Amino acid sequence: MERVAIFPGSFDPFTVGHESIVKRAIPLFDKIVVMIGYNANKQSFFPLEKREKWIKEVFKTEPKVSVECYEGLTVDFCKKVKAQYILRGLRTSADFEFERAIAQVNKMMHPQIESVFLLTIPEHTPINSTIVRDIILHGGDASMFLPSALNMADFKTEE
Ligand code: ADP
């Protein structure tokens, strides 16, 4: 059976930390679907269409990786794309505690779905979308935190 993983997140924006987790997971799975989770009632910083476009751009030469937007429970998206694995990145003990509860509840409700965690590489530990957004919002240079395939100019036009 094909090993399909989903990588869910809000990716507002997608950072080098996210990129690294997906790239390191490519040899582990036959297919990885990056799931941009959204809530129609919640305002994001970058529009959904832009986030989707950027992630597609990053993985345009990687046939195993696709990108989809989804509103709803992550486990329901797993069923939709026939995924058996939920991929997540771990940076800190705070990430661990947060992820542990979600993964254990998911496991109780959907025993067939496994959560798989990759530890971040040390230099990506402090990177998160909130800080990167703040740098961009205030006109700073966030390029070192964004995938090199993307053009910084695209991000600046968002304000
Ligand atoms: P969420 O809305 O779930 O917080 P994020 O876009 O922040 O979504 O994160 C999606 C996934 O990427 C999570 O598993 C998160 O731990 C992981 N992640 C975020 N930033 C990094 C990073 N710098 N290094 C490794 N993993 C990361």
Side-chain angles (χ1 to χ4, degrees), residues 36-49:
I36 311 175
Y38 69 95
N39 177 340
N41 298 314
K42 267 202 200 159
Q43 179 79 22
S44 60
F45 185 70
F46 291 107
L48 191 57
E49 307 72 49

Side-chain angles (χ1 to χ4, degrees), residues 10-52:
S10 38
F11 309 120
D12 193 18
F14 195 80
T15 68
V16 284
H18 298 129
E19 179 185 25
S20 165
I21 295 290
V22 174
K23 284 193 168 161
R24 287 168 56 207
I26 288 172
L28 307 177
F29 300 104
D30 297 307
K31 231 169 102 181
I32 300 173
V33 186
V34 180
M35 181 202 111
I36 311 175
Y38 69 95
N39 177 340
N41 298 314
K42 267 202 200 159
Q43 179 79 22
S44 60
F45 185 70
F46 291 107
L48 191 57
E49 307 72 49
K50 288 262 180 180
R51 284 180 275 154
E52 183 182 15

Side-chain angles (χ1 to χ4, degrees), residues 1 26 43 47 63 67 70-71 76 78 85 89 95 104 112-113 122 129 142 153 159:
M1 189 161 70
I26 288 172
Q43 179 79 22
V67 185
Y70 190 73
E71 184 176 26
D76 290 337
C78 284
Y85 303 98
D95 271 358
Q104 289 178 331
Q112 74 286 5
I113 297 173
S129 296
E159 288 170 55

Side-chain angles (χ1 to χ4, degrees), residues 7-11 15 17-18 21 88-91 95 99 120 124 127-129:
F7 183 53
S10 38
F11 309 120
T15 68
H18 298 129
I21 295 290
R88 297 288 283 176
L90 289 181
R91 287 161 293 187
D95 271 358
E99 297 293 342
T120 184
H124 288 164
I127 303 173
N128 69 56
S129 296

Side-chain angles (χ1 to χ4, degrees), residues 40 57-58 97 102 137:
E57 178 67 27
V58 172
E97 281 306 325
I102 297 174
L137 180 66

